[in-house]
Amino acid sequence: MRKSIFVFLAILFQAGIIATAQIESSTPVNQLVIIANHAGPVISKDIYGHFSEHLGRCIYEGLWGGTGSSIPNTYGIRNDVLFALRDIKVPNLRWPGGCFADTYHWRDGIGPQEKRASIVNTHWGGVTEDNSFGTHEFMKLTELLGCDAYINGNVGSGTVREMAEWVEYLTSGSDSPMTRLRKENGRDEPWKVKYFAIGNENWGCGGNMTDEFYTNVMRQFSTYLNNYGENRLYRVACGPSDFNFAWTETLMKDGASRNRFQGLSIHYYSLVDGWNNKGSATGFSEREWFQTMRANLQMDQIIKGHKAIMDRYDPQKTKGLVVDEWGNWFDVEPGTNPGFLYQQNTLRDALTAAIHLNIFNQHADRVKVANLAQLVNVLQSVILTRGDEMVLTPTYHVFRMFRVHHDARLLNIDLRCEDYAFGDRKIPSISASASVDKDGKVHISLANLNPNDQITVSCPVIGDTFKRITGEVLTASEMNAMNSFEKPVAVKPADFKGYNYKDGVLTVTMPSKSVVVLEMTK
Ligand code: AHR
């Protein structure tokens, strides 16, 4: 192990990246070498994006109460949720699905709310969708959040014309039937729309297509998604889920297809024991904790696989990988509608968030957008609501702590650490990434995946020295600690003092099952 760190440092030395190789005479078991004077690619802030689907209580109750609601709101959007989301600096928000997107006909959701068509949400609980939250309400939400819109178009049951006209309605400033319609509905100026997806999971709920069929359909739809005025659409082609590399190969190998999108989406949900044994979000043993972490870490392999294909056809890295659905998927909370996918959120989910965000940071050269599923009241949410109450989940706190990486530049690291073993399986006990921001501050985010033991990691920080260090930690005494409506702040970040910085080496002792973010200022 010691030899490989020497090799790593020697390479950096020869490349002129570091002037002196600082390495302790006997390499500690847990060592994270950080090269502080050689910034890599920008970590797109859009890696920290979110997803809001017409599913369960995400939109209705979670985000939207309507202007007549007794819950304080701005244009119908809950103030408590809005203000909490501003604090994590949501960079982009995906809408209206998910599977719902390929059943959504945008014209149902414009015009006077009382006249909008009611439909049945066939994917999610069979409930009636009154379309009171539609295009104008979503765009207002993005404006209030100060984030980019990520709209997912309907390929599965929609038409090319319908999708093309939605883009025109949203973004055109010229006189046309669509822009006149928008103006009649109260919006004179076109909006800016950054991300636009051409279907969702078209291999499944989005039309059960084959990769070749979808590739042709995507080429057709994309042809009519125009850039109006100064708006530039980042078109996202529907990619596969998990390890389905063949789908990515099909989309990437065809030059005519490659020319029609800027991003390629992949989905991956972490499951404890497969789709039939998802397990409880809150009642779990160490075995399920371990299985979850193990599943989370697979995201790295999945990205590497898709990235290798993209690198072959797009070595200049002009196309982004868009991980627009990720997170833990557990059984719904007992007594809730199975179609609503409502799950609680514990310290385990906080570790999941840290692991994923560190992985996305590390792949900043290719991963340009990622969206946690989902924002409020569905799957691994950052916020839960009950009536007029709101709870910030452990996952929320990780997104707040990791804000420091938004648009910062990735730092090269080399991590060697002990394993966390359970039964006859093992995984690395530490997850990490580091970045330098525009002010020269270095941020290191770490997670100790071991729920039993604290861990000390020695971090030689090479190429620069620092005067001030601060830190935050998120942990709890129980693996399944959570924020409930009865105890809403049981899990919250605290100041972290478990570090020492001497002779250019930062030594950090993390509690068991914790997430730590450190800031180093020159
Ligand atoms: O996030 C829930 C669902 O999971 C989405 O609607 C779909 O895209 C995925 O299968």
Side-chain angles (χ1 to χ4, degrees):
M1 174 208 300
R2 189 159 168 243
K3 193 171 158 223
S4 72
I5 290 178
F6 270 128
V7 171
F8 175 66
L9 292 171
I11 291 167
L12 295 171
F13 181 73
Q14 276 164 14
I17 292 168
I18 57 172
T20 52
Q22 294 163 271
I23 188 158
E24 295 171 24
S25 51
S26 68
T27 309
V29 178
N30 301 304
Q31 186 175 60
L32 176 71
V33 180
I34 301 166
I35 312 301
N37 61 343
H38 183 73
V42 171
I43 297 171
S44 160
K45 67 180 187 321
D46 287 321
I47 283 173
Y48 291 80
H50 290 272
F51 172 33
S52 54
E53 181 165 8
H54 287 243
L55 193 176
R57 298 186 302 112
C58 180
I59 301 289
Y60 303 107
E61 292 189 38
L63 288 163
W64 173 253
T67 45
S69 167
S70 58
I71 301 172
N73 65 80
T74 305
Y75 299 109
I77 293 151
R78 290 177 68 130
N79 286 344
D80 52 356
V81 173
L82 184 62
F83 297 151
L85 292 176
R86 280 184 184 158
D87 280 347
I88 56 171
K89 295 192 194 306
V90 173
N92 72 80
L93 186 59
R94 179 171 179 245
W95 173 84
C99 291
F100 182 78
D102 284 275
T103 64
Y104 186 64
H105 300 284
W106 66 272
R107 282 171 187 257
D108 291 345
I110 56 170
Q113 284 170 349
E114 63 285 0
K115 292 196 178 150
R116 295 186 190 173
S118 280
I119 58 161
V120 175
N121 190 332
T122 47
H123 278 294
W124 306 118
V127 293
T128 298
E129 159 67 59
D130 70 3
N131 278 303
S132 53
F133 189 92
T135 298
H136 290 249
E137 291 76 19
F138 173 70
M139 294 308 294
K140 177 58 80 179
L141 171 60
T142 61
E143 283 175 352
L144 292 172
L145 285 173
C147 76
D148 279 315
Y150 178 176
I151 292 190
N152 206 119
N154 177 351
V155 166
S157 69
T159 63
V160 177
R161 177 176 179 178
E162 183 183 13
M163 192 185 286
E165 287 185 342
W166 200 7
V167 171
E168 186 183 346
Y169 184 92
L170 282 158
T171 61
S172 172
S174 307
D175 185 44
S176 74
M178 283 307 109
T179 58
R180 266 173 257 141
L181 183 59
R182 186 187 69 226
K183 287 176 187 174
E184 276 167 32
N185 289 330
R187 173 80 188 195
D188 283 345
E189 292 304 310
W191 289 284
K192 287 262 177 287
V193 173
K194 187 166 180 187
Y195 298 107
F196 199 97
I198 307 165
N200 168 77
E201 296 194 354
N202 300 96
W203 37 265
C205 63
N208 285 303
M209 301 174 188
T210 64
D211 46 2
E212 283 176 0
F213 184 80
Y214 172 76
T215 300
N216 285 327
V217 168
M218 184 277 297
R219 284 165 52 163
Q220 181 193 11
F221 273 72
S222 176
T223 305
Y224 302 95
L225 301 183
N226 293 321
N227 286 324
Y228 291 100
E230 291 179 0
N231 195 69
R232 289 288 166 273
L233 289 179
Y234 187 101
R235 299 172 187 79
V236 180
C238 167
S241 77
D242 310 355
F243 293 92
N244 181 356
F245 301 127
W247 183 288
T248 297
E249 178 82 31
T250 304
L251 273 169
M252 288 299 299
K253 75 180 177 202
D254 168 22
S257 147
R258 276 203 310 278
N259 288 339
R260 302 251 55 102
F261 64 85
Q262 287 71 44
L264 191 153
S265 101
I266 58 167
H267 292 175
Y268 172 62
Y269 287 99
S270 296
L271 302 163
V272 170
D273 289 311
W275 286 105
N276 295 326
N277 287 299
K278 296 191 287 297
S280 163
T282 56
F284 56 87
S285 65
E286 187 179 343
R287 191 191 75 80
E288 283 102 37
W289 168 283
F290 179 88
Q291 286 287 91
T292 302
M293 305 289 119
R294 197 166 159 267
N296 297 160
L297 288 165
Q298 287 204 341
M299 178 59 93
D300 190 50
Q301 295 310 314
I302 291 170
I303 290 175
K304 280 181 179 145
H306 294 289
K307 205 169 143 173
I309 297 166
M310 294 177 84
D311 285 351
R312 249 192 296 126
Y313 296 106
D314 175 36
Q316 304 303 322
K317 298 187 194 289
T318 61
K319 314 282 172 210
L321 195 56
V322 176
V323 190
D324 53 13
E325 289 187 29
W326 66 269
N328 288 333
W329 192 320
F330 301 119
D331 289 339
V332 298
E333 289 304 303
T336 65
N337 187 330
F340 281 13
L341 309 185
Y342 175 68
Q343 65 190 44
Q344 242 296 1
N345 196 288
T346 70
L347 184 62
R348 174 172 61 164
D349 295 279
L351 271 287
T352 293
I355 291 168
H356 279 81
L357 296 174
N358 280 333
I359 292 171
F360 298 151
N361 286 351
Q362 294 287 16
H363 291 290
D365 61 331
R366 185 61 85 176
V367 178
K368 297 299 175 189
V369 185
N371 303 77
L372 172 69
Q374 297 192 0
L375 190 62
V376 191
N377 293 332
V378 172
L379 300 176
Q380 193 182 335
S381 309
V382 293
I383 290 177
L384 304 176
T385 65
R386 182 176 74 181
D388 63 357
E389 298 170 283
M390 174 188 79
V391 155
L392 306 179
T393 67
T395 299
Y396 173 94
H397 293 302
V398 173
F399 272 82
R400 200 195 53 73
M401 289 165 73
F402 276 59
R403 281 180 316 187
V404 290
H405 291 304
H406 290 201
D407 285 340
R409 291 184 67 189
L410 184 70
L411 291 178
N412 212 337
I413 60 170
D414 186 61
L415 173 65
R416 306 288 140 147
C417 67
E418 66 199 51
D419 288 327
Y420 158 41
F422 188 84
D424 57 1
R425 290 184 151 165
K426 51 191 181 186
I427 55 175
S429 52
I430 298 177
S431 150
S433 68
S435 69
V436 58
D437 71 10
K438 61 179 181 358
D439 302 319
K441 288 182 182 166
V442 165
H443 294 102
I444 308 164
S445 44
L446 299 159
N448 177 4
L449 281 49
N450 189 320
N452 306 311
D453 302 321
Q454 67 172 35
I455 195 161
T456 297
V457 56
S458 167
C459 315
V461 186
I462 292 171
D464 223 333
T465 51
F466 299 88
K467 290 203 180 89
R468 185 166 176 267
I469 299 171
T470 53
E472 265 191 307
V473 61
L474 187 73
T475 190
S477 51
E478 303 300 326
M479 288 185 294
N480 64 346
M482 71 189 93
N483 292 331
S484 63
F485 293 98
E486 290 67 40
K487 289 189 182 163
V489 286
V491 185
K492 62 174 196 292
D495 274 356
F496 178 68
K497 300 282 178 216
Y499 59 83
N500 175 42
Y501 181 54
K502 193 161 170 266
D503 299 333
V505 178
L506 178 72
T507 307
V508 186
T509 300
M510 289 181 278
S512 63
K513 48 184 170 347
S514 66
V515 179
V516 170
V517 176
L518 292 153
E519 177 172 281
M520 305 183 78
T521 311
K522 286 194 223 177

